[in-house]
Amino acid sequence: MKIDGIYQKTLFRNIKTGYAYFQFKSLKYDDDGENFYKCRGVIPNYAPKTPLTLIGHKEDNGKEIIFIVEEISLNINNDILTKSFVMAHLEAGMGSVCADRVVAYLKIHNMTIENLLQSDDAIKHMEQIKGFSHQKAVSFVKKTEGSLIEMGLLKELSPYGISFIQINKLRKLYERSVRTEIKENPYLSMRRADIPFENIDAYARDHGFTFCDPDRVRCIVNHMFYFLNTTGNSYCTAEELLPMYRKIERQVSCFDEQVPDGLVLFEIMSSKAGYVDTSTGTPLFYSKRAWESETNIVGDLIRMLRSASELVSEAEIDDYLQTDGNYLDDSQKAAFELLRDTRPSFLIGGPGTGKTTTLKNLVACYLKKYPDKRVAVCAPTGRAAKRMSEQTHLQASTIHRFLRWNKEANKFQINEYNKSKVEFVLIDEASMIDTYLFSSLLKGLSINTKIIMVGDVDQLPSVGPGQVLEDLIASSKVNVIRLNELYRQQENSNIITLAYNIKKGCLDEEIFNKAEDLTFISCSNDNVLANIEEISTTYLDYSYKNFQVLAPMYKTINGIDAINEHLQKIFNPKSSERKEILISNILYREQDKVIQLTNMPDDNVFNGDVGIIERINNTSKKEIYIDFDGNVVKYSQSNFLNFKKAYATSIHKSQGSEFDIVIIPIVKNFQKMLYRKLIYTAVTRCKKKLYLIGDIGALKIAIANNNNDLRRTTIKKFLIEGIK
């Protein structure tokens, strides 16, 4: 069925996919006497009054008749439709009379609107029409050109799974030359628009490119180095290169043929995304970014260590300890050695060892001597920063915020060219910092800035590459103080006892029989969810901030996704009083607990922050308002995927947070994720009551497995070699 008519308005639009639900008015009545349709399909973001031709069919969904769009094209084949198209792209205040003048101009010059827009003199033509200033002419040409290009690109690229938002990005990147750029070099041009390689490869295959095309191989090599970063390692060996390439090639290729080894190795050796270190005799292959980050870290630290100067004298420390810190234990008092000079320093300790108390006193002692100096307190995540603020009563921020992350420019504004004026930087949750972030931090600090990093080496390493905290401590080139006294254990915390047993690699099952703050519920894989639900119902009145389920994996019947669906029904059941919205087949409703998945520094919300959906606007302009501890952030459709439900979260996402009540499902189908640091991290998130649910055998497997945290890095080696 084919209908010609006018686009009326958008009722719903998925900004990522271009899928829309819209109203359309036909120029003619159909056999059913209809000329007004509600339609669904993937289309550009047309302005109202745009003339179109739709090809598709009607469907009855039980509530209404919907026209399903199969093909769509711009229709400007007569004066009426041309006028409608022009009006759809005019600036506010320019109406029907201006549109008539454009149509008349086209007739006089024997042109179509497409001819005009494709002309190099399009703006000059528009300026000759009464009512069009230069500015208005430029605006009209840009808008109309964009519509025509988008239409062509959508028709050409959507069969390859390329979304409307990606097409729009391509258009903005290349403007009028976009079609030429795509045809001549799809691998380079489309990657700039963040289009997945698989989609590009399918398009290139169908448009005459071969599997050996150098740009194609180069793209896969770049994928390989990116994949290397995701492993946590900074480098790999030569023997691992080709297998790693082949693995990536199998995952992303749309061709049946394999690229010859010689061509692959040539592109690897010449790749700008990689770096080969031959100084050891055996070549090691790094991603370029990892290599630069590690060498920058070492270089900056060596300069800081060599230029160290006195900060607080021994006499001044003794005076503070006698007057303000006499209640501290011996290891806490020993930590004041970290203030003696400006060398980068580390304060290490597990849960319950008094790190927070020590930190507050270190800052107080520093400010006693330097009351006018600037102190910055930072953490890798917003959640950790907030906890730091609550515990120390010092204003804390994320490292990204401290370095003034500029999302549009994709860089930090505090950098080697614009250093921070802060004299003392305190970093909490240092185990979470990867090589990229630490390198950026050091670049933004002056050579005499005092840095104290605080962390627990037994927790999970960073999600990104490296193990900065472990490497620096193991180098023995930096000041390190370890806190050993367990204050929370003195308060009869069996949770802390369990944590320290896990750290040692042992488990005394008797602890579950005598502990009020610790419960192990043994059950089959099929009954884990039921037990989580039963426990959860006893905490319905508990604050969302203080109750949390932590799991190792998202998928499986006991994974994070499944748990969230069940707990939503318990904590936030369907109600006529709360609006709902469906996002990527996940139902959200007002008052749902959610977690932020990306950094949004402009809105002061960061990866790992937890909030509550305050309000959902489910009209044509879809909006969600999320309250992050008093900071209400508005989300439009373009960033709906930046959060997800958080009744249950991953253990990695929980780093930097603490909760009164924690439930940890642990079963053998999580086996590939069961290792010591993971379980230790999960257990140490809990302050008052811990539930472990599942298989005691799975817990023992996790505690015994201490191999998952071994990473290939060279910071330790470089630092030792640089300071002999």
Side-chain angles (χ1 to χ4, degrees):
M1 180 179 178
K2 176 181 174 182
I3 50 176
D4 299 318
I6 307 297
Y7 190 89
Q8 296 292 299
K9 68 175 181 179
T10 302
L11 303 172
F12 166 79
R13 179 171 187 82
N14 185 317
I15 196 165
K16 185 176 181 181
T17 63
Y19 186 84
Y21 177 44
F22 61 97
Q23 290 180 346
F24 187 81
K25 186 178 180 181
S26 174
L27 297 180
K28 300 178 181 178
Y29 289 90
D30 62 19
D31 294 341
D32 298 322
E34 298 285 344
N35 78 326
F36 193 78
Y37 301 88
K38 288 184 178 178
C39 309
R40 296 184 187 274
V42 177
I43 65 167
N45 191 18
Y46 289 119
K49 300 181 181 178
T50 301
L52 303 170
T53 294
L54 308 183
I55 297 175
H57 63 277
K58 292 182 182 180
E59 279 189 5
D60 189 345
N61 63 14
K63 295 180 180 178
E64 57 185 350
I65 305 294
I66 303 291
F67 188 86
I68 306 299
V69 179
E70 297 166 359
E71 293 183 31
I72 189 167
S73 58
L74 200 61
N75 188 343
I76 40 181
N77 298 326
N78 59 51
D79 292 351
I80 295 172
L81 295 174
T82 300
K83 179 180 177 179
S84 183
F85 176 75
V86 171
M87 288 185 68
H89 296 85
L90 291 175
E91 288 190 3
M94 302 177 71
S96 179
V97 174
C98 284
D100 285 334
R101 290 171 183 159
V102 174
V103 173
Y105 183 89
L106 293 172
K107 276 189 166 182
I108 293 169
H109 292 82
N110 196 28
M111 300 172 73
T112 66
I113 189 69
E114 289 180 276
N115 295 147
L116 185 148
L117 294 171
Q118 290 166 2
S119 163
D120 293 334
D121 298 322
I123 293 171
K124 289 181 180 179
H125 279 298
M126 295 306 302
E127 287 175 333
Q128 296 178 45
I129 302 171
K130 187 178 178 180
F132 285 86
S133 64
H134 176 73
Q135 186 177 349
K136 289 179 178 179
V138 169
S139 173
F140 177 79
V141 170
K142 282 190 79 171
K143 286 181 182 177
T144 48
E145 269 189 343
S147 289
L148 292 172
I149 292 170
E150 279 176 7
M151 188 67 246
L153 290 175
L154 187 67
K155 187 176 182 179
E156 185 176 350
L157 300 181
S158 60
Y160 299 97
I162 298 171
S163 71
F164 178 76
I165 199 168
Q166 292 163 338
I167 290 170
N168 196 43
K169 193 169 184 177
L170 276 172
R171 187 180 65 79
K172 288 178 179 176
L173 281 169
Y174 299 107
E175 298 182 336
R176 298 183 75 178
S177 64
V178 61
R179 304 290 288 275
T180 303
E181 291 286 345
I182 290 171
K183 283 183 167 42
E184 289 182 356
N185 202 329
Y187 292 104
L188 293 184
S189 60
M190 291 193 196
R191 283 302 297 156
R192 287 190 66 197
D194 299 322
I195 296 171
F197 179 86
E198 304 93 303
N199 306 88
I200 303 171
D201 209 36
Y203 173 88
R205 178 196 59 199
D206 293 349
H207 288 78
F209 288 81
T210 70
F211 71 99
C212 283
D213 185 275
D215 289 323
R216 178 178 183 270
V217 183
R218 207 167 293 133
C219 271
I220 301 176
V221 168
N222 290 346
H223 265 274
M224 183 193 74
F225 282 118
Y226 174 79
F227 173 78
L228 176 60
N229 289 340
T230 67
T231 66
N233 298 310
S234 299
Y235 66 86
C236 68
T237 64
E239 292 76 17
E240 294 166 318
L241 278 173
L242 273 175
M244 191 182 299
Y245 178 91
R246 297 302 180 201
K247 179 179 180 179
I248 303 299
E249 187 180 46
R250 286 194 300 272
Q251 289 175 347
V252 301
S253 179
C254 291
F255 290 84
D256 295 327
E257 302 91 340
Q258 277 195 350
V259 180
D261 291 355
L263 181 56
V264 173
L265 291 171
F266 174 81
E267 291 296 343
I268 288 173
M269 296 301 295
S270 59
S271 174
K272 293 181 180 179
Y275 179 84
V276 188
D277 178 23
T278 58
S279 62
T280 60
T282 302
L284 301 177
F285 292 80
Y286 294 73
S287 75
K288 185 72 173 293
R289 191 181 177 193
W291 171 262
E292 290 178 346
S293 295
E294 291 204 346
T295 52
N296 286 340
I297 287 169
V298 173
D300 285 338
L301 284 174
I302 289 173
R303 284 187 286 274
M304 285 178 162
L305 290 166
R306 287 175 175 169
S307 64
S309 57
E310 185 179 278
L311 194 63
V312 184
S313 70
E314 187 173 352
E316 289 164 328
I317 290 172
D318 288 341
D319 178 64
Y320 178 86
L321 291 175
Q322 289 173 18
T323 56
D324 301 288
N326 58 358
Y327 60 92
L328 300 172
D329 69 35
D330 289 343
S331 65
Q332 290 173 320
K333 289 178 180 178
F336 281 76
E337 277 298 306
L338 302 179
L339 292 179
R340 288 294 306 278
D341 56 46
T342 58
R343 287 180 296 168
S345 304
F346 293 82
L347 182 66
I348 307 304
T353 55
K355 291 195 298 290
T356 302
T357 300
T358 307
L359 290 177
K360 286 194 290 187
N361 279 274
L362 289 176
V363 174
C365 181
Y366 175 83
L367 291 175
K368 188 174 183 177
K369 179 174 181 179
Y370 302 105
D372 298 325
K373 296 286 188 180
R374 285 160 289 190
V375 178
V377 181
C378 303
T381 67
R383 194 76 178 157
K386 287 171 185 173
R387 187 166 65 89
M388 192 73 165
S389 293
E390 292 164 359
Q391 292 180 342
T392 64
H393 305 294
L394 299 168
Q395 188 61 44
S397 73
T398 64
I399 299 173
H400 279 77
R401 192 164 184 80
F402 170 70
L403 296 175
R404 293 166 54 193
W405 172 252
N406 185 314
K407 186 178 180 180
E408 291 183 2
N410 193 32
K411 65 180 182 181
F412 293 109
Q413 292 174 293
I414 299 296
N415 50 47
E416 62 265 49
Y417 309 110
N418 180 35
K419 292 184 180 287
S420 170
K421 301 297 190 294
V422 169
E423 289 96 346
F424 186 166
V425 178
L426 193 64
I427 309 292
D428 195 22
E429 298 289 348
S431 63
M432 299 174 65
I433 301 175
D434 62 33
T435 53
Y436 301 154
L437 188 56
F438 194 55
S439 174
S440 297
L441 176 66
L442 292 181
K443 285 179 184 178
L445 301 177
S446 70
I447 198 166
N448 290 314
T449 303
K450 178 64 180 179
I451 305 172
I452 294 181
M453 300 182 67
V454 186
D456 182 352
V457 291
D458 295 300
Q459 285 193 31
L460 288 168
S462 58
V463 175
Q467 47 187 22
V468 172
L469 183 64
E470 285 195 46
D471 280 353
L472 294 181
I473 292 171
S475 74
S476 301
K477 301 299 181 181
V478 293
N479 283 350
V480 181
I481 295 293
R482 298 178 186 270
L483 300 178
N484 300 310
E485 186 71 27
L486 298 181
Y487 290 98
R488 277 166 58 186
Q489 193 174 43
Q490 293 171 3
E491 299 168 5
N492 297 316
S493 173
N494 291 288
I495 297 169
I496 298 298
T497 301
L498 175 64
Y500 276 84
N501 285 340
I502 290 171
K503 184 166 75 169
K504 295 173 185 175
C506 60
L507 175 66
D508 181 3
E509 294 181 47
E510 283 299 310
I511 194 173
F512 300 119
N513 299 325
K514 60 185 180 182
E516 292 185 4
D517 58 349
L518 188 60
T519 299
F520 190 96
I521 300 173
S522 181
C523 66
S524 67
N525 194 52
D526 295 337
N527 290 322
V528 169
L529 273 179
N531 278 280
I532 291 174
E533 290 178 14
E534 185 177 347
I535 295 167
S536 300
T537 55
T538 65
Y539 294 103
L540 287 177
D541 297 327
Y542 219 76
S543 167
Y544 80 92
K545 296 180 187 176
N546 295 319
F547 177 89
Q548 190 62 52
V549 179
L550 301 176
M553 297 175 67
Y554 281 92
K555 304 304 179 184
T556 79
I557 60 170
N558 298 315
I560 295 165
D561 293 339
I563 296 170
N564 270 317
E565 292 305 305
H566 281 76
L567 293 189
Q568 183 190 46
K569 297 172 185 176
I570 294 173
F571 287 99
N572 192 27
K574 189 176 182 64
S575 168
S576 59
E577 298 178 357
R578 291 188 286 273
K579 294 179 181 176
E580 299 178 344
I581 189 169
L582 194 65
I583 303 172
S584 298
N585 295 319
I586 298 174
L587 183 69
Y588 294 87
R589 61 173 61 99
E590 291 171 342
Q591 297 305 305
D592 267 341
K593 179 182 178 182
V594 294
I595 187 168
Q596 180 72 13
L597 302 177
T598 61
N599 291 322
M600 293 169 52
D602 293 343
D603 296 300
N604 195 27
V605 60
F606 298 88
N607 187 357
D609 286 357
V610 175
I612 294 289
I613 296 179
E614 183 183 81
R615 180 161 62 90
I616 293 174
N617 182 359
N618 214 355
T619 60
S620 58
K621 187 179 181 181
K622 306 221 179 267
E623 294 171 338
I624 298 176
Y625 294 81
I626 301 177
D627 183 356
F628 295 95
D629 293 331
N631 175 31
V632 179
V633 180
K634 182 176 77 172
Y635 291 76
S636 58
Q637 287 180 263
S638 59
N639 51 22
F640 276 179
L641 299 179
N642 288 358
F643 61 86
K644 65 188 309 177
K645 288 178 195 166
Y647 301 102
T649 63
S650 72
I651 296 167
H652 284 85
K653 288 288 186 186
S654 74
Q655 284 185 274
S657 302
E658 286 186 337
F659 313 94
D660 287 351
I661 316 296
V662 171
I663 302 174
I664 305 172
I666 182 163
V667 291
K668 286 185 178 176
N669 65 353
F670 291 158
Q671 190 153 342
K672 68 177 182 179
M673 291 294 293
L674 295 180
Y675 56 99
R676 189 182 301 171
K677 280 195 174 183
L678 188 84
I679 300 303
Y680 174 82
T681 301
V683 168
T684 55
R685 300 308 89 202
C686 185
K687 293 191 293 184
K688 293 182 178 180
K689 180 66 179 178
L690 175 66
Y691 296 90
L692 294 158
I693 301 174
D695 187 342
I696 194 72
L699 180 61
K700 290 177 178 178
I701 289 170
I703 293 172
N705 180 9
N706 199 31
N707 298 321
N708 261 47
D709 57 345
L710 300 176
R711 291 187 169 186
R712 294 174 177 176
T713 63
T714 41
I715 289 177
K716 172 187 170 183
K717 173 179 175 291
F718 290 163
L719 196 57
I720 292 172
E721 291 176 350
I723 308 173
K724 296 266 189 171

